Amino acid sequence: MNQNRYAVFLDLDGTLIARNSIPPRNRDVIAAARRSGHAVFLNTGRSKACIPAFVLDELPLDGLVAGIGSYITVADELLYCTVIPRPLLEETAALLWQHGYPHVYEGEDKMLYANMASPAWMPHAFILDGPPDLAGPYRDERITKATIIGQLAPDDLEALSESFTVFQHDTYAEIAMKGHSKADGMYRVLDHLGLARSQSIAIGDSANDEDMLFAAGISVAMGNATESIKALCDEITADAADAGVALALERLLHLGSSF
């Protein structure tokens, strides 16, 4: 085992990108890390269909952990994938629709919006007229997670938590199949690569990064991270807009700063 090789796991929103763009220094340092023999993975709550095309086009990556650990690739090969079973998906859709939550079903290929408009800039976005659409025109879509806008009512949170891992943020909630998480996805990748936990670096900023950061050998909080995330991490870097990812990797991987 090469003890000097690390696998790096990067959150996307508020970590790798800021104001819907990637700081150029992040791109350069990630490329340098890979040239030095390290592996770099995106570890995001977004499903595959929800990852902006410019991220995958601009970034040199070794793979993806998407949908809170529900969809994993290594070197462009699918390592693992799970989807929400159709009966559970339809049951969940009925609950969310009945209670009026704006929400999005995030899949491998499409984003299905319910009780809300879809963003014009997203090429894979479609609007549901109601739960029956999931058993009709979209019955073959592979949905890996869902995002719910707003705060879940306590009873709904309890009901969803029976089948899902639920991450409640300030303005939205994310759900994925129970037992899946960014940490679980990270461990699957490390096992595949033959790397130990101590050879992992995780960088993030918010609630759905907590388990990944806690599980990593080295954890880094962004300068713009929540206070609870900063408190559990080994160190804190600069804000996302100031290329905090690059600054952390330069130092931790001894990459230098001449890019």
Side-chain angles (χ1 to χ4, degrees), residues 124-139:
H124 310 299
F126 300 84
I127 296 178
L128 296 177
D129 292 327
D133 280 0
L134 289 171
Y138 301 108
R139 63 184 176 276

Side-chain angles (χ1 to χ4, degrees), residues 25 37 70 107 204 207:
R25 192 173 190 82
S70 297

Side-chain angles (χ1 to χ4, degrees), residues 101-211:
Y101 291 107
H103 55 286
V104 188
Y105 302 101
E106 301 184 32
E108 295 176 9
D109 301 309
K110 291 182 174 65
M111 302 283 289
L112 306 179
Y113 286 74
N115 283 335
M116 63 187 296
S118 62
W121 54 266
M122 184 170 287
H124 310 299
F126 300 84
I127 296 178
L128 296 177
D129 292 327
D133 280 0
L134 289 171
Y138 301 108
R139 63 184 176 276
D140 295 326
E141 295 307 316
R142 293 169 55 82
I143 304 300
T144 53
K145 62 160 286 198
T147 297
I148 304 156
I149 307 305
Q151 289 280 323
L152 289 164
D155 288 349
D156 296 333
L157 176 59
E158 182 179 357
L160 290 169
S161 296
E162 292 180 6
S163 301
F164 297 102
T165 298
V166 182
F167 296 95
Q168 179 67 71
H169 304 271
D170 289 340
T171 59
Y172 67 99
E174 296 176 282
I175 63 173
M177 289 302 297
K178 206 170 189 68
H180 291 80
S181 66
K182 289 188 174 185
D184 176 69
M186 180 177 71
Y187 281 145
R188 288 180 188 274
V189 172
L190 290 173
D191 184 63
H192 179 77
L193 297 178
L195 298 178
R197 170 182 174 272
S198 60
Q199 293 173 273
S200 62
I201 298 171
I203 307 179
D205 73 305
S206 66
N208 72 1
D209 299 317
E210 182 172 342
D211 65 311

Side-chain angles (χ1 to χ4, degrees), residues 34-118:
R34 297 182 72 231
R35 287 195 300 270
S36 297
H38 306 291
V40 182
F41 295 84
L42 193 62
N43 196 344
T44 176
R46 291 178 181 249
S47 73
K48 177 175 175 283
C50 192
I51 299 172
F54 76 86
V55 173
L56 302 180
D57 291 342
E58 294 180 23
L59 278 181
L61 293 169
D62 291 280
L64 304 173
V65 180
I68 317 177
S70 297
Y71 183 92
I72 304 171
T73 64
V74 177
D76 296 324
E77 296 292 329
L78 184 62
L79 177 65
Y80 177 81
C81 181
T82 189
V83 298
I84 301 173
R86 185 59 48 173
L88 177 60
L89 182 64
E90 293 175 8
E91 176 186 328
T92 302
L95 182 151
L96 296 177
W97 190 274
Q98 177 185 357
H99 294 186
Y101 291 107
H103 55 286
V104 188
Y105 302 101
E106 301 184 32
E108 295 176 9
D109 301 309
K110 291 182 174 65
M111 302 283 289
L112 306 179
Y113 286 74
N115 283 335
M116 63 187 296
S118 62

